[in-house]
Amino acid sequence: LKEGQIPIRHRYTPGLAGEAFFRALKDRGVLLGSRCESCGITYCPARLFCERCFDELNADVECGPGGTLESFTVGYVGVEGEPLDEPVLMGLVRLDGADTVLMHFVTDADELFIGMAVEAALKAKSKRTGSILDIEGFRPATPAARR
């Protein structure tokens, strides 16, 4: 142990709404959200309660797979502070039908701009594990995908 380091281990659990989100992603290839009728907000990924009024919510609204790129950045450093061999594009995507954003990779883009139409690129069903990485990333939407 080096000076200044704290030996902490943790395990993240997605909770009930997160579990429903990941199960739907794995089994059906859909992105589940939760709608608060009181506030008129749809959260995606799904939540158990509204962050504004604290009403109980259900994970029962399908969002996307298309959406809008709200912001983006280029990452040169990994989550552990290590330099990346290749930079990664990260975007904030507001899925169709949702009022919140989802942060994920942006792929297959020669040019990015705020407001561009994107769509989720999912792994093949046989390769999905129930992880956020079942979404390979968001790519520029094809015209047929936005109809």
Side-chain angles (χ1 to χ4, degrees):
L1 190 65
K2 293 182 181 180
E3 184 178 335
Q5 289 185 329
I6 301 173
I8 296 176
R9 297 237 183 248
H10 72 282
R11 182 179 300 248
Y12 173 80
T13 58
L16 294 174
E19 185 179 328
F21 175 85
F22 290 124
R23 191 176 319 111
L25 181 58
K26 178 184 177 188
D27 296 342
R28 299 186 292 136
V30 298
L31 303 162
L32 274 189
S34 300
R35 175 114 180 120
C36 178
E37 295 303 330
S38 299
C39 295
I41 294 180
T42 300
Y43 297 93
C44 190
R47 311 260 199 314
L48 272 185
F49 67 92
C50 177
E51 295 174 1
R52 292 186 181 192
C53 72
F54 301 108
D55 272 0
E56 187 176 341
L57 304 177
N58 295 312
D60 59 1
V61 177
E62 289 186 19
C63 299
T68 303
L69 187 64
E70 297 290 335
S71 186
F72 62 90
T73 191
V74 180
Y76 297 92
V77 179
V79 294
E80 301 294 330
E82 75 282 8
L84 297 175
D85 293 334
E86 296 287 326
V88 294
L89 292 172
M90 299 297 295
L92 292 178
V93 175
R94 183 179 318 275
L95 291 165
D96 294 342
D99 297 300
T100 59
V101 294
L102 177 68
M103 183 172 76
H104 211 299
F105 297 108
V106 179
T107 62
D108 304 325
D110 294 326
E111 178 184 348
L112 295 179
F113 58 90
I114 302 301
M116 78 183 289
V118 294
E119 61 187 355
L122 302 181
K123 288 183 178 176
K125 185 173 184 175
S126 63
K127 296 191 187 251
R128 293 186 212 141
T129 62
S131 158
I132 195 66
L133 296 178
D134 289 347
I135 305 169
E136 292 177 333
F138 287 86
R139 61 183 175 221
T142 60
R146 294 308 296 236
R147 287 188 204 154

